[in-house]
Amino acid sequence: MNGFLPKLTMYRFLLLGCWGLFLTACSDPTPHTNAAKLNEAPASAAERLNQAFDSVTANHEFMGNVALLHKGELLFSRATGFADISTKQSADMGTKYRLGSVSKTYTAVLIFKAIAEGKLTLEQKVDAFFPELENAAKIRVADLLQHRSGIASYTKDPRFFKYHTMPQTRQQMLQMIFSYQSDFEPGSSAEYSNSNYFLLACILEKLHGKPLEQILQEQIVMPLSLTSTYLGNQVTPEQNESYSYRFEAGWQLLPQTDMSVTLGAGDVVSTATEAALFLDALFNGGLVPEQHLTTMQAIKDGFGMGIMRYDLAGRVGFGHRGTLDGYRATAIHFPDDKVTLVVTSNGENDNINLVYEALLKAFFNDAILAVAADELDKYVGTYVSNPDKSDKVVFIRDGNQLVHVIQNEFKEALTYKGERQFLFEQMYGPAILFSFSENGAELLMEQDTFSGRFTKE
């Protein structure tokens, strides 16, 4: 991933990387205007969640599992689709999925546990572990955790797609990482790199004198009484592990990335429920001391330490998202509301985003505000940036929805927030708030720290 794009154009280019162990944080400029109705009977929330899940999966191709915890208790879980399409093996709540980059949160927790035990410090340089690595004497453990090392990501190497389905030794992977030139001076910038977390996993193995799998079992799985969380190997349907697929006029089986390649960066396999239990335990003091959790959540240049920040439906959450082959995972905890929502999928499309957002809004019972069609017509048209006439924003109407047209190709329906404000929410980047003047002639666009004014043609 190439960091954040300029604020004005970020929303137009949301294809944020190559092979998918990457995620970005997002931020929503709108205030939280719909108070969560958390005091109502849980059955009411569960009913809404069931209705939302049925609705979104009936209208969109989706395979996977969901789990929602409220105040530490499992409130809702559902499964749909197949773990193995060839044998018609249906998915259930015990089906296991590869979590992709959500694995980075597990690796970060193990690093902070080592710090709490006095085995490591955030300021410690990594030259003692990797003397052959460029800038090793300048790179801190903190830089690896927060993607500030300058080490190039091995998943951006053109050779990656030639070997990613074949087993690789630790030394083979390390030699590739050591061969890269630094992208920037350590600590001076930030860029997402899977190499960082591969190196962190190797540090853990050197510190403990054990393989990462054993460290994970001893320090996370067993203390939390988990039974279906481990580092992956070849998919075994007989153990209720899912294959992954891409939807192209039907679900097509995808090749498996060998998990030796994803060490520390994308190697955890789990169920949606156990991933939710892990994340909930992390944010409720069950895994690392509070001061370390605070450090993990501190966002700099878009990255925490094994954690990203997400602003969804006007609420702040922390967690991670992941992509590996056809697998997708989104795991976010919303601390103010004591809610943890995890969606795992083995079907490569973006419908996991629709499922996640629909469930989140259903749980919070956020009201959908209506707007008349004749009111929407005032905002239909092309708006031109005041300082840059070549920069244009286009809107059309589809029934009672205002739709944002991106590059004459993509169409995104906007959420009406009231007071002539429409929101474009996205899982991969900052939300955009469009505010129109009363007569529709002027437009204010806000995204994160960017603010731009446009005039209707």
Side-chain angles (χ1 to χ4, degrees):
M1 193 189 78
N2 297 318
F4 289 108
L5 295 167
K7 301 300 179 184
L8 183 58
T9 57
M10 183 195 301
Y11 74 102
R12 297 175 183 168
F13 303 94
L14 297 180
L15 302 178
L16 295 179
C18 48
W19 178 76
L21 293 177
F22 58 83
L23 292 169
T24 63
C26 54
S27 152
D28 184 345
T30 60
H32 179 174
T33 55
N34 294 306
K37 299 181 180 179
L38 297 181
N39 295 322
E40 60 186 305
S44 176
E47 183 176 333
R48 291 197 309 275
L49 288 162
N50 273 303
Q51 291 174 349
F53 186 81
D54 289 338
S55 176
V56 73
T57 55
N59 292 293
H60 301 278
E61 296 292 343
F62 175 76
M63 297 198 300
N65 287 5
V66 302
L68 186 147
L69 273 62
H70 181 218
K71 297 181 179 178
E73 299 293 328
L74 181 64
L75 176 66
F76 175 76
S77 61
R78 286 283 298 274
T80 188
F82 295 95
D84 183 354
I85 290 178
S86 66
T87 63
K88 302 300 181 185
Q89 179 181 335
S90 297
D92 56 37
M93 288 312 300
T95 300
K96 306 172 191 75
Y97 300 83
R98 295 184 175 189
L99 299 184
S101 281
V102 175
S103 307
K104 290 180 173 66
T105 306
Y106 293 76
T107 302
V109 165
L110 293 174
I111 287 290
F112 275 97
K113 279 181 166 290
I115 291 171
E117 295 169 0
K119 298 179 182 293
L120 197 65
T121 70
L122 285 175
E123 297 301 314
Q124 187 170 338
K125 304 298 192 299
V126 302
D127 53 339
F129 302 102
F130 312 113
E132 308 101 313
L133 178 68
E134 184 178 354
N135 288 329
K138 299 179 181 179
I139 296 171
R140 305 170 302 153
V141 170
D143 294 326
L144 296 178
L145 285 163
Q146 207 163 23
H147 298 290
R148 302 183 66 80
S149 68
I151 303 169
S153 182
Y154 62 87
T155 54
K156 290 184 178 181
D157 187 331
R159 294 174 294 177
F160 174 77
F161 289 101
K162 296 180 180 179
Y163 71 77
H164 76 100
T165 59
M166 299 180 288
Q168 304 293 312
T169 66
R170 302 285 195 273
Q171 197 57 35
Q172 284 176 307
M173 292 297 298
L174 287 172
Q175 287 306 313
M176 274 188 281
I177 294 171
F178 294 160
S179 72
Y180 301 141
Q181 291 187 335
S182 294
D183 288 336
F184 52 84
E185 190 72 10
S188 66
S189 184
E191 185 169 345
Y192 198 94
S193 173
N194 291 296
S195 300
N196 291 322
Y197 277 75
F198 191 97
L199 294 177
L200 286 168
C202 291
I203 289 174
L204 286 166
E205 292 186 334
K206 292 183 179 185
L207 287 174
H208 293 282
K210 303 173 183 177
L212 185 63
E213 168 67 29
Q214 186 176 346
I215 303 168
L216 175 74
Q217 293 298 318
E218 291 175 354
Q219 300 203 12
I220 292 179
V221 173
M222 289 189 288
L224 296 183
S225 300
L226 306 179
T227 59
S228 299
T229 300
Y230 48 86
L231 300 191
N233 206 312
Q234 289 296 300
V235 172
T236 308
E238 295 77 15
Q239 296 180 10
N240 206 1
E241 295 179 352
S242 63
Y243 287 116
S244 77
Y245 301 85
R246 173 184 294 136
F247 192 81
E248 293 177 349
W251 292 110
Q252 308 298 321
L253 181 67
L254 289 175
Q256 299 179 43
T257 293
D258 192 273
M259 298 300 263
S260 63
V261 174
T262 67
L263 182 75
D267 51 355
V268 174
V269 171
S270 191
T271 65
T273 300
E274 289 205 356
L277 290 169
F278 160 75
L279 198 60
D280 200 72
L282 171 60
F283 283 91
N284 285 288
L287 288 171
V288 299
E290 183 177 355
Q291 66 268 29
H292 291 330
L293 178 60
T294 300
T295 301
M296 292 177 72
Q297 292 175 265
I299 305 299
K300 186 173 184 179
D301 293 334
F303 301 109
M305 295 188 178
I307 286 176
M308 305 289 191
R309 171 182 165 136
Y310 299 88
D311 287 46
L312 296 172
R315 297 169 177 87
V316 175
F318 294 91
H320 220 300
R321 302 186 71 241
T323 302
L324 175 60
D325 303 328
Y327 300 96
R328 301 287 185 270
T330 299
I332 304 174
H333 177 78
F334 298 87
D336 290 347
D337 302 300
K338 298 181 174 60
V339 171
T340 302
L341 176 59
V342 173
V343 179
T344 55
S345 174
N346 61 328
E348 183 191 76
N349 55 37
D350 288 333
N351 290 337
I352 186 174
N353 301 340
L354 299 176
V355 173
Y356 200 94
E357 292 169 2
L359 292 176
L360 196 64
K361 290 178 180 179
F363 174 78
F364 288 117
N365 202 18
D366 287 343
I368 298 177
L369 303 179
V371 56
D374 57 351
E375 175 73 11
L376 289 178
D377 286 337
K378 293 194 299 186
Y379 314 131
V380 171
T382 300
Y383 290 78
V384 179
S385 172
N386 292 341
D388 182 2
K389 302 302 182 183
S390 66
D391 195 44
K392 299 181 179 182
V393 185
V394 179
F395 302 95
I396 62 173
R397 178 170 68 83
D398 183 7
N400 281 61
Q401 279 192 307
L402 189 66
V403 176
H404 176 32
V405 181
I406 305 172
Q407 293 184 324
N408 294 318
E409 183 176 358
F410 303 103
K411 297 179 180 179
E412 293 289 344
L414 306 178
T415 302
Y416 184 51
K417 306 297 287 185
E419 300 296 326
R420 303 185 303 280
Q421 293 185 325
F422 295 81
L423 188 67
F424 175 19
E425 294 184 287
Q426 26 182 32
M427 292 293 292
Y428 286 103
I432 305 165
L433 182 67
F434 298 107
S435 302
F436 294 89
S437 62
E438 188 169 358
N439 63 1
E442 303 292 331
L443 168 68
L444 173 65
M445 188 180 88
E446 297 171 274
Q447 184 185 32
D448 200 8
T449 59
F450 169 81
S451 178
R453 295 191 176 276
F454 294 73
T455 301
K456 195 172 187 178
E457 282 187 337

